[in-house]
Amino acid sequence: MKAGMSLDDPSSKRQAYRAKKQEDRQEMKHVKIDTQNTANKVDLPRKRFYRQRAHSNPFSDHQLEYPLSPGDMEWKLLYPAFYDESTGLMTKQVTIADIGCGFGGLLVDLSPQFPDKLILGMEIRVQVTNYVEDRIIALRANNAETSAYQNISVLRGNAMKFLPNFFHKAQLEKMFFCFPDPHFKQRKHKARIITNTLLSEYAYVLKEGGVVYTITDVEDLHNWMKKHLEEHPLFERLSSQWEEQDACVQIMRNATEEGKKVARKQGDKFIACFKRLPTPTII
Amino acid sequence: MIHPLQAVLTTNDGNLVFCVVENNILVFRVGHSGGGDFTLVGRWTDDADKSALIKEKVLKEHSKQVAENNAKRQKTGEAIVSHVKVPKVPQPGKGAPAFYSMIRGLTLSSDELLLFACTDSDKSVITLGIDLQNPTDCLKFLKRQSLPKRPNAISLTSEESIVLVADKFGDVYRVSVDPNVPAVKESEIEPILGHVSLLTDVAYATDKHGRKYVITADRDEHIRVSHYPQCYIIDNMLFGHKTFVTSLCLPQWNPRLLLSGGGDAFICVWDWKEGQLLDSFDFSSLLRPHLNSSHLAPEKFQNEKGDLVEFTVAQIKTFRELNLVVFSIEQSNCIFVCQLDGASGKLAHLQTVKLPSHVIALDCSQSDTFCVTMDSRKSEDNFAEFYTYNNGLFRKSVGKTDAFNKCIVESVVSQNLTVETEEGIYPLYQLKCLRKRGEH
């Protein structure tokens, strides 16, 4: 950590900002926002206060919170507007997941596209998750009249390890992998988010006909993801015509922070989408 | 000082006892005379030399670097350096952590003519032939299949000569242990399934329709049921454990059921095909009188009162026909015996067997007898004990136990397998290190 960046420094602006937001978050996170108390608009969080290292080791023992099983997950805390108090049940299940959602650009743009679907972002970095959380809180508060952004939420988690703790078999319709960590070194390839063995787990939580979206600016990684998805018996590449007409592909290309950064630098963006095939007959 | 027996396995008839002592596998045979005396009939030592492997790696990396540098020089037009120093192979210095060539996962083929094991030294699965006609040594080394990462558990499949091996990197490999099939190059072997967590156990199972499955357990409290050989199809996840899982066991007489245990104070009984938890048997009150100071949580993670205990189920075993379950807790001096109701899957405590010292390994291959090996550091003549089921309880087979311990002392001394100090003893309790301490 650079000098002057100490987290214990009481004069640190970032420290003060984070502490303030933490308090607000505790208060705001799980409340249903009524149209009455929207007199004062909530400021959108400022990204510079949430900076964190770009990488996180997926193999280390993070202090993570995750449900014992998908049935134990309290979704009402994440999507209060979709909780029916009379039955005590959720009216909708999460069907779209953005794995490694970063600063949440994709979530925010997908939200109006799929107003009747619940979309979940998963992110392993604490501060980045906090940012997305604050962003969603602000968006929900500022759009209370239209009840927009009630269908998106974020949680901190390690999707490579605990995806089956959150989702039932065949629960998801779409999974996004946008600009994942490329892990260039050969010996770090197991840390990549797309591997033969992990794909079986993604196929488990995806329903038949569900779609895996991948986008990256690193050609090597694109080839790697393509190769592994093509080799996996439960996935099939979707045609470029399909990609052209799909709304999510357009959003993915333009919405995410990484996507914008790449566009600014006029870099390439490689996209590949795959369909979850029907489970074959068991031998 | 005689080294404790780190692992034990017997044949179904109990006539042969395989033990691991340091990096050796010893085979003892019950005498023909019927007197129950044992003789040492075989020994195999894992003497794989790691330095050759390291040397190969170092030289490969070196030549790669030289080639890269030369390519760079060629681009920039510099002269190519022809004399490059050959690198030294690194040698562990003083104070480097000791290396132990552990032998894990002793498994017999179904005809009991082959013995399989995992070795740490060169991360491989070995096949040993058992030939009792050979008067000098019944073990014959047949095959060695190296794997990319350290293998941790092994399971037989219904296909003869194929075993499933789970490694510490989280992958499962399908390995041919047939000595007539040449070993595959380590770089060419592909995992059939994988977790993003250390794998602790693997089991092979078939359902009532004859469909085949692989069940894997990891350090992230997950138990996964995948189809076999279509291992890319995950059938189910078994959720119930709150900490790491160490041991899986399918009772041979009722393979619908699966028992699992680990860092939790309970044993789970599953209908694994239906994904249903049938019983969660809490043994903490049974264990309480047998806890000792080694079960206290490390200081850094201890509570204010200093009474936080942590314990780990080391092994769960069942018998071929008896509806009994035997399990051991790491570093405790007792073994719990439970009755398993095949219909409901409920466990009921039957007996607690008290041992003279801490349990290390357990084997239930015989129909009504289990063998347990113990930490013999404190009581020099108790290496192993045999218990036989009789009239509803397990009782110590005194004659067999005494004869076996006597044979251990004689043969280990004659084989020059004694260690001088306690430092020379291999780590016996490794499971508790699997407990997670969240970092950030």
Side-chain angles (χ1 to χ4, degrees):
Chain A
M1 207 178 268
K2 276 186 218 159
M5 280 182 65
S6 165
L7 289 174
D8 307 319
D9 180 6
S11 64
S12 156
K13 241 173 132 182
R14 169 199 303 227
Q15 186 71 2
Y17 184 90
R18 284 184 180 179
K20 165 85 175 50
K21 280 288 178 184
Q22 177 79 30
E23 253 173 57
D24 293 352
R25 204 178 303 131
Q26 296 299 352
E27 213 176 295
M28 301 281 289
K29 190 173 169 185
H30 308 314
V31 287
K32 244 185 206 174
I33 294 159
D34 303 322
T35 28
Q36 283 94 32
N37 55 17
T38 52
N40 25 355
K41 292 272 181 191
V42 181
D43 287 337
L44 282 169
R46 281 184 288 169
K47 215 183 271 176
R48 64 191 180 103
F49 291 111
Y50 298 86
R51 296 255 181 257
Q52 197 181 355
R53 292 188 59 195
H55 309 280
S56 181
N57 182 357
F59 301 132
S60 67
D61 297 341
H62 299 281
Q63 271 171 344
L64 296 172
E65 276 178 42
Y66 49 89
L68 192 63
S69 75
D72 296 312
M73 182 65 195
E74 292 215 54
W75 292 109
K76 65 174 185 201
L77 302 179
L78 269 65
Y79 304 95
F82 291 84
Y83 176 67
D84 185 342
E85 262 166 50
S86 60
T87 59
L89 296 170
M90 294 295 292
T91 53
K92 286 245 169 350
Q93 274 198 321
V94 174
T95 50
I96 301 177
D98 182 7
I99 309 300
C101 67
F103 289 93
L106 184 75
L107 292 176
V108 172
D109 280 19
L110 284 177
S111 174
Q113 185 73 29
F114 300 102
D116 57 343
K117 289 190 193 296
L118 296 193
I119 308 166
L120 180 74
M122 288 179 105
E123 173 56 48
I124 197 166
R125 292 166 292 169
V126 184
Q127 289 307 329
V128 179
T129 317
N130 288 346
Y131 170 84
V132 182
E133 224 163 73
D134 291 341
R135 187 173 176 181
I136 293 172
I137 289 171
L139 285 171
R140 283 183 185 174
N142 297 347
N143 293 281
E145 308 84 23
T146 56
S147 296
Y149 301 108
Q150 293 291 343
N151 63 332
I152 54 171
S153 196
V154 68
L155 56 82
R156 185 193 177 210
N158 182 342
M160 291 171 71
K161 278 171 170 273
F162 300 111
L163 209 54
N165 286 64
F166 291 98
F167 304 118
H168 293 280
K169 189 176 183 174
Q171 181 178 334
L172 296 182
E173 290 165 9
K174 293 177 194 298
M175 284 178 92
F176 290 89
F177 297 91
C178 300
F179 301 98
D181 193 339
H183 290 291
F184 290 109
K185 286 182 192 162
Q186 173 88 40
R187 56 188 291 265
K188 299 267 276 183
H189 283 180
K190 173 130 182 174
R192 285 182 167 169
I193 195 99
I194 302 281
T195 61
N196 302 9
T197 52
L198 264 174
L199 281 174
S200 305
E201 215 164 277
Y202 303 151
Y204 168 81
V205 291
L206 272 172
K207 61 160 70 165
E208 290 179 5
V211 179
V212 165
Y213 292 82
T214 71
I215 182 168
T216 175
D217 56 326
V218 180
E219 192 169 9
D220 273 354
L221 179 65
H222 170 66
N223 291 334
W224 162 282
M225 294 198 289
K226 218 170 60 180
K227 173 175 173 280
H228 285 87
L229 275 150
E230 274 164 3
E231 281 173 3
H232 199 281
L234 294 179
F235 289 100
E236 186 183 77
R237 177 92 191 251
L238 286 158
S239 66
S240 48
Q241 287 91 326
W242 185 92
E243 281 171 17
E244 282 312 310
Q245 56 76 42
D246 187 72
C248 295
V249 172
Q250 299 312 318
I251 295 173
M252 177 168 76
R253 203 193 297 265
N254 303 315
T256 65
E257 274 73 3
E258 276 297 320
K260 285 177 187 151
K261 198 158 89 190
V262 177
R264 275 201 303 277
K265 292 180 180 166
Q266 299 181 329
D268 291 322
K269 288 180 213 169
F270 304 96
I271 291 170
C273 303
F274 292 81
K275 190 171 77 178
R276 160 72 155 90
L277 294 172
T279 304
T281 327
I282 303 299
I283 315 175
Chain B
M1 180 182 233
I2 295 174
H3 196 288
L5 311 177
Q6 297 142 248
V8 63
L9 176 71
T10 60
T11 48
N12 286 345
D13 59 10
N15 280 343
L16 291 179
V17 183
F18 303 88
C19 298
V20 175
V21 181
E22 299 179 79
N23 57 339
N24 304 284
I25 299 177
L26 304 179
V27 192
F28 300 94
R29 189 183 192 180
V30 178
H32 289 304
S33 53
D37 53 331
F38 285 87
T39 41
L40 181 73
V41 289
R43 172 183 176 179
W44 178 78
T45 305
D46 175 28
D47 49 9
D49 188 6
K50 260 205 347 167
S51 60
L53 273 172
I54 296 172
K55 191 170 179 180
E56 197 184 314
K57 262 189 195 154
V58 168
L59 291 178
K60 209 172 140 193
E61 179 64 28
H62 173 71
S63 59
K64 198 181 112 194
Q65 278 179 8
V66 169
E68 267 173 22
N69 287 343
N70 280 343
K72 242 186 233 164
R73 286 198 183 98
Q74 216 156 26
K75 258 191 198 165
T76 55
E78 272 177 70
I80 289 172
V81 186
S82 53
H83 286 288
V84 195
K85 258 201 265 173
V86 176
K88 276 187 196 154
V89 177
Q91 294 289 334
K94 256 190 176 178
F99 179 80
Y100 300 100
S101 25
M102 295 277 184
I103 299 178
R104 312 163 196 268
L106 287 188
T107 309
L108 279 167
S109 62
S110 47
D111 59 8
E112 301 192 332
L113 292 175
L114 296 172
L115 178 70
F116 315 122
C118 303
T119 62
D120 273 11
S121 56
D122 60 344
K123 302 171 189 153
S124 52
V125 178
I126 53 154
T127 308
L128 300 170
I130 302 163
D131 176 15
L132 289 172
Q133 304 307 318
N134 187 327
T136 51
D137 191 340
C138 73
L139 286 183
K140 188 178 172 212
F141 174 78
L142 296 175
K143 186 179 178 179
R144 179 166 231 139
Q145 171 67 58
S146 303
L147 294 168
K149 299 285 167 184
R150 192 165 285 181
N152 205 22
I154 191 168
S155 177
L156 286 183
T157 66
S158 57
E159 298 163 85
E160 286 294 324
S161 79
I162 296 287
V163 295
L164 301 174
V165 182
D167 74 17
K168 295 209 175 195
F169 203 47
D171 291 329
V172 176
Y173 294 90
R174 194 174 168 273
V175 174
S176 162
V177 280
D178 186 340
N180 302 315
V181 177
V184 185
K185 251 192 169 169
E186 179 202 302
S187 53
E188 282 164 18
I189 182 164
E190 286 281 329
I192 55 169
L193 68 96
H195 294 216
V196 183
S197 180
L198 184 152
L199 287 180
T200 52
D201 209 351
V202 58
Y204 175 83
T206 42
D207 68 8
K208 58 181 182 222
H209 306 293
R211 285 188 294 240
K212 296 167 275 186
Y213 298 85
V214 188
I215 307 177
T216 37
D218 73 18
R219 202 185 147 228
D220 285 338
E221 64 271 345
H222 288 145
I223 301 175
R224 189 196 284 184
V225 182
S226 313
H227 286 278
Y228 181 88
Q230 296 152 300
C231 301
Y232 51 86
I233 306 171
I234 299 174
D235 186 57
N236 220 334
M237 302 284 299
L238 305 180
F239 294 108
H241 281 287
K242 297 193 172 85
T243 63
F244 59 104
V245 186
T246 57
S247 189
L248 296 176
C249 179
L250 288 129
Q252 298 90 321
W253 53 274
N254 192 349
R256 178 180 75 97
L257 303 178
L258 171 76
L259 296 132
S260 65
D264 291 311
F266 50 83
I267 302 277
C268 289
V269 187
W270 309 89
D271 182 331
W272 57 268
K273 184 67 202 72
E274 298 302 318
Q276 209 182 349
L277 181 64
L278 301 175
D279 193 18
S280 164
F281 177 77
D282 190 321
F283 58 81
S284 49
S285 58
L286 294 173
L287 179 66
R288 197 159 300 128
H290 305 283
L291 289 171
N292 54 54
S293 58
S294 72
H295 295 116
L296 286 170
E299 214 174 309
K300 203 176 155 191
F301 308 102
Q302 189 51 267
N303 63 12
E304 274 172 24
K305 275 163 81 190
D307 60 357
L308 180 67
V309 284
E310 290 175 345
F311 39 81
T312 308
V313 175
Q315 281 174 299
I316 308 174
K317 300 273 177 183
T318 50
F319 295 87
R320 244 168 303 142
E321 279 138 30
L322 294 177
N323 61 343
L324 299 173
V325 177
V326 182
F327 65 93
S328 63
I329 309 298
E330 192 172 57
Q331 242 169 331
S332 74
N333 53 355
C334 60
I335 281 184
F336 298 109
V337 185
C338 288
Q339 222 144 17
L340 174 60
D341 185 284
S344 68
K346 295 278 178 217
L347 283 172
H349 178 242
L350 179 75
Q351 186 186 359
T352 302
V353 176
K354 267 211 85 182
L355 303 171
S357 51
H358 296 170
V359 51
I360 300 174
L362 187 61
D363 174 70
C364 296
S365 306
Q366 295 175 68
S367 58
D368 61 346
T369 301
F370 71 81
C371 175
V372 52
T373 73
M374 291 161 297
D375 188 345
S376 49
R377 279 179 284 195
K378 296 221 161 51
S379 52
E380 271 277 276
D381 38 354
N382 286 306
F383 300 98
E385 290 189 339
F386 291 88
Y387 287 84
T388 302
Y389 189 66
N390 194 352
N391 280 336
L393 281 180
F394 277 99
R395 291 183 174 83
K396 188 161 139 184
S397 315
V398 180
K400 199 171 181 184
T401 297
D402 289 349
F404 188 70
N405 285 319
K406 195 171 137 244
C407 174
I408 293 283
V409 175
E410 282 167 8
S411 50
V412 169
V413 172
S414 74
Q415 291 284 315
N416 213 0
L417 276 173
T418 52
V419 284
E420 274 165 26
T421 57
E422 283 220 12
E423 276 80 68
I425 288 180
Y426 273 47
L428 300 170
Y429 311 109
Q430 295 185 309
L431 293 174
K432 61 179 176 186
C433 310
L434 295 176
R435 197 171 288 276
K436 278 202 231 171
R437 318 283 181 188
E439 284 162 25
H440 11 251

